[in-house]
Amino acid sequence: MPLSIVQKDITTLKVDAIVNAANTALAPGGGVCGAIFSAAGQRAMEQACRKLGGCPTGKAVFTEGFALPAKYVIHTAGPIWRGGGEGEATLLKCCYENALHLALELGCQSAAFPLISAGIYGYPLQEALRIALSVMESFLAEHPMDLFLAVLSPSVAAMAEELRTDKKEV
């Protein structure tokens, strides 16, 4: 199944699950997290997340999608960039792996991801893209699912396409 890089608002994608770049408290935040809470229905998402009691960095949990087109929201707390010497790459890789395996457990045929930790958490863009693409491409080699990496910036979408290792040679 394919991996597609799309320049779209993740909250509008008609997929089985969207992934939220969450904070460990699963509290409403800014950026992607704020947009997901708002589009899902702020109050309903806050209540569902409060019941989960948080999510450690690198792990993944889920809620229903509420008013979103997606049935589920998979919340994963990415690492804050601290220079690269505190296990950030391993934690970021775990975010994608755990979210993908949770999507599989939920029976999802499709899932959309934002670029985790590359916003306010300060993860270097190119390295965040490399990790995201590597994990998703490896997952797809063994599991059938339609995956989307949703970005808003045309330059980030172009950079992601350049970094893909599963490009077909013509």
Side-chain angles (χ1 to χ4, degrees), residues 112-134:
F113 285 78
L115 194 54
I116 299 165
S117 287
I120 196 167
Y121 281 14
Y123 212 99
L125 185 58
Q126 192 166 15
E127 187 55 28
L129 279 167
R130 283 187 208 284
I131 291 169
L133 294 169
S134 171

Side-chain angles (χ1 to χ4, degrees), residues 42-125:
Q42 191 83 20
R43 184 181 164 127
M45 187 59 78
E46 281 185 50
Q47 288 176 340
C49 285
R50 199 173 304 117
K51 286 179 187 172
L52 293 172
C55 179
T57 302
K59 302 295 183 188
V61 295
F62 77 96
T63 61
E64 66 178 273
F66 300 105
L68 292 162
K71 182 174 182 179
Y72 303 108
V73 175
I74 296 173
H75 307 267
T76 186
I80 296 170
W81 179 255
R82 302 188 192 286
E86 296 189 29
E88 295 98 312
T90 300
L91 288 168
L92 186 55
K93 183 179 176 192
C94 286
C95 288
Y96 287 97
E97 289 172 342
N98 288 326
L100 285 163
H101 287 287
L102 185 51
L104 198 60
E105 287 174 28
L106 292 168
C108 296
Q109 300 291 316
S110 58
F113 285 78
L115 194 54
I116 299 165
S117 287
I120 196 167
Y121 281 14
Y123 212 99
L125 185 58

